[in-house]
Amino acid sequence: MQTTLLKSLEHLQSTADEKAVKGIQRGIERECLRITPEGRLAPTTHPIELGKTLTHPHITTDYAEMLLEFITPVATDIQVTLDQLTDIHSYTYRYMGDELMWPLSMPCFVGDEHDIHIARYGSSHSGRMKNLYRRGLTYRYGGGMQIIAGVHFNFSVPQAMWQALAAQDGVEPSADYISTRYFGLIRNYKRVCWVIPYLFGASPAICQSFLKHADSTIELKSLGKGTVYREYGTSLRMSDLGYTNKEQADLQITYNSLEDYVTRLRRAITTPSQRFGKIGVKQQNAQGDTDYFQLNSNILQIENEFYSPIRPKRVAQNGETPTQALERGGVEYIEVRALDVNPFSPVGITAEQIRMLDLLLLYCLLNDSPELDWDAQQVTEKNFNKVVLDGRNPRLTLNDNGYERPISDWLEELFADLQALARFMDQGDDNAYSETVAEHYQMVLNPELTLSGRMLALMRDENLDNSHLGMRLARAYQKELQAPLKYFSEADFATWTQASIAEQEAREQHDQGTSFDAFLDDYFTKAKCTAAECEK
């Protein structure tokens, strides 16, 4: 047990404030592809009955028109969050005809890249900008990488806990204090986030058809017809085969302070890229209209293009960029982005996973967190990549402060601390957290009990390739999700649909007769300034 963690737990225990323990706020963003009954990418547009993806608060699309994204409201009860997510799935299924939701992170059969249709958001300036940003991603990295699905976990600490921690530190729980502690959480997360692909990586195998859309030299083996896999792999999604961007390694964005993070990220969206400059930004077509290829030719088109397994976040106000929102009010919550879709859950994530994420993030928050320079951060990323590719290898070692350490040894130490945190979280309640840690400790003793191990075992034992497994699960979950709503009402969804249509129409009317070029110029002029400068 680390001394800082123990002291923090003892202090929080002494506050006797249940809100400091039970008030964690969470939200889930789950992505999944719409597919045909034959297991191919759905060629259809987003169902109009579900509203407009530009303005709907809970049902939208990510990169592609067929890549659904479901967003739950913020809640403090884990079961409420899962009920909300289940309802969004169930309601969406009503308007998908015979299409299915693909239950794996890595896509089903991918033919020609022209089968991947970029998401459409209407004719408003903001809608056109979202579409153009995605078009730029296609030219920069290819469309194949953009149809990979994941689960994002949003996490924020209740104000009561901030007050207790600030009192322990002898300061006020100001926005600066909270941001500093959140950045400490992020640094510790970077140190131990390899545990997420170890436990929850669920993409050890992929459809061979995807390889022609990837630029990677990773060695893979064949498994059945049309499937390739990594023997001890956990999350090919998070490898060079998946949702990564080699071009961003030179940005050297670290997490030692909010100011430094914002400065480096803003520099990336204002610094021209020689490579992306060769693509061009726009040209006149034969009809005299402007054809855009990307938003700009900078290292990043916008801040969202920076791929990271974790992000500091604040809800942006109208017209704000993410960094301007952070400057204005500090860090509001953390977004964990390293989760594969759980193929053994109809909604891609379970209550047990959420509890483990709670514990891991509290572990990162409550421990000492020395600064992490770029070289040290590179070590953490190498550890992460080793687990992504070979996490279930019993002989795997990781770099811990300059020493090679067996992964099993590090997991034992980590789980001892997580068990102490679980007892703290269970106080005055059931033993849900302690039982969850005990269940996941079995995965420490036997790596084949992890999601990736279970997935490969199922494929081998039943002679299934990646597509057959995905289709079996997709059909089972389609039936399971044909159920009455648990949390939301029919009226809720009808209201969101109509409001999203009305809001998009209002935006499009407002933008008629105004220049898209001028809109982009204004956006990027504001994006270069700080939040304070933009208010002037």
Side-chain angles (χ1 to χ4, degrees), residues 137-333:
L137 295 177
T138 304
Y139 282 112
R140 290 173 174 227
Y141 318 115
M145 192 182 83
Q146 311 301 325
I147 57 169
I148 296 169
V151 175
H152 298 171
F153 178 71
N154 298 321
F155 170 94
S156 64
V157 174
Q159 189 62 31
M161 184 175 285
W162 287 128
Q163 290 171 346
L165 293 175
Q168 182 185 18
D169 292 339
V171 298
E172 292 296 319
S174 64
D176 287 343
Y177 172 80
I178 292 171
S179 292
T180 298
R181 291 297 299 256
Y182 270 132
F183 269 85
L185 181 160
I186 292 173
R187 291 193 297 276
N188 278 338
Y189 173 90
K190 295 288 286 185
R191 292 178 170 105
V192 299
C193 67
W194 52 264
V195 77
I196 291 181
Y198 177 85
L199 295 174
F200 302 136
S203 52
I206 63 173
C207 184
Q208 191 167 7
S209 67
F210 184 77
L211 293 179
K212 64 178 177 287
H213 302 282
D215 178 20
S216 175
T217 58
I218 294 173
E219 293 184 8
L220 300 169
K221 297 181 178 180
S222 294
L223 178 67
K225 183 180 178 181
T227 297
V228 291
Y229 76 107
R230 182 84 177 180
E231 181 70 32
Y232 296 115
T234 63
S235 177
L236 294 180
R237 164 182 169 263
M238 296 302 296
S239 74
D240 285 349
L241 278 165
Y243 208 66
T244 58
N245 182 358
K246 301 171 187 175
E247 305 300 324
Q248 297 180 13
D250 293 336
L251 296 179
Q252 298 194 11
I253 292 176
T254 57
Y255 301 90
N256 292 320
S257 71
L258 186 151
E259 294 76 18
D260 183 61
Y261 174 80
V262 166
T263 297
R264 289 173 183 263
L265 191 52
R266 186 167 289 145
R267 184 183 303 148
I269 66 168
T270 56
T271 301
S273 163
Q274 184 176 0
R275 176 171 178 260
F276 298 147
K278 295 177 182 177
I279 298 170
V281 175
K282 59 184 177 180
Q283 68 177 15
Q284 294 295 116
N285 60 29
Q287 290 74 39
D289 299 322
T290 300
D291 282 338
Y292 278 91
F293 304 109
Q294 54 185 338
L295 288 172
N296 56 53
S297 57
N298 296 332
I299 297 173
L300 302 178
Q301 295 176 89
I302 56 176
E303 294 162 13
N304 290 348
E305 193 175 336
F306 175 56
Y307 304 138
S308 173
I310 190 168
R311 285 179 179 169
K313 300 289 288 286
R314 170 167 287 275
V315 175
Q317 296 176 351
N318 188 35
E320 276 187 333
T321 67
T323 56
Q324 288 167 349
L326 288 172
E327 283 181 317
R328 170 178 52 81
V331 183
E332 185 178 8
Y333 66 99

Side-chain angles (χ1 to χ4, degrees), residues 105-117:
S105 274
M106 297 301 284
C108 54
F109 179 82
V110 184
D112 193 278
E113 195 164 290
H114 290 99
D115 296 335
I116 305 170
H117 305 303

Side-chain angles (χ1 to χ4, degrees), residues 326-384:
L326 288 172
E327 283 181 317
R328 170 178 52 81
V331 183
E332 185 178 8
Y333 66 99
I334 293 298
E335 180 187 36
V336 172
R337 300 164 52 83
L339 285 165
D340 283 355
V341 174
N342 184 340
F344 302 106
S345 163
V347 296
I349 191 170
T350 65
E352 291 75 21
Q353 285 180 281
I354 292 174
R355 283 192 284 269
M356 284 299 294
L357 290 168
D358 283 348
L359 295 174
L360 183 66
L361 293 174
L362 286 174
Y363 168 91
C364 294
L365 174 68
L366 299 178
N367 267 311
D368 278 332
S369 184
E371 288 196 353
L372 201 61
D373 64 23
W374 178 247
D375 289 339
Q377 188 169 299
Q378 288 294 97
V379 171
T380 70
E381 292 177 4
K382 288 178 181 177
N383 283 343
F384 185 86

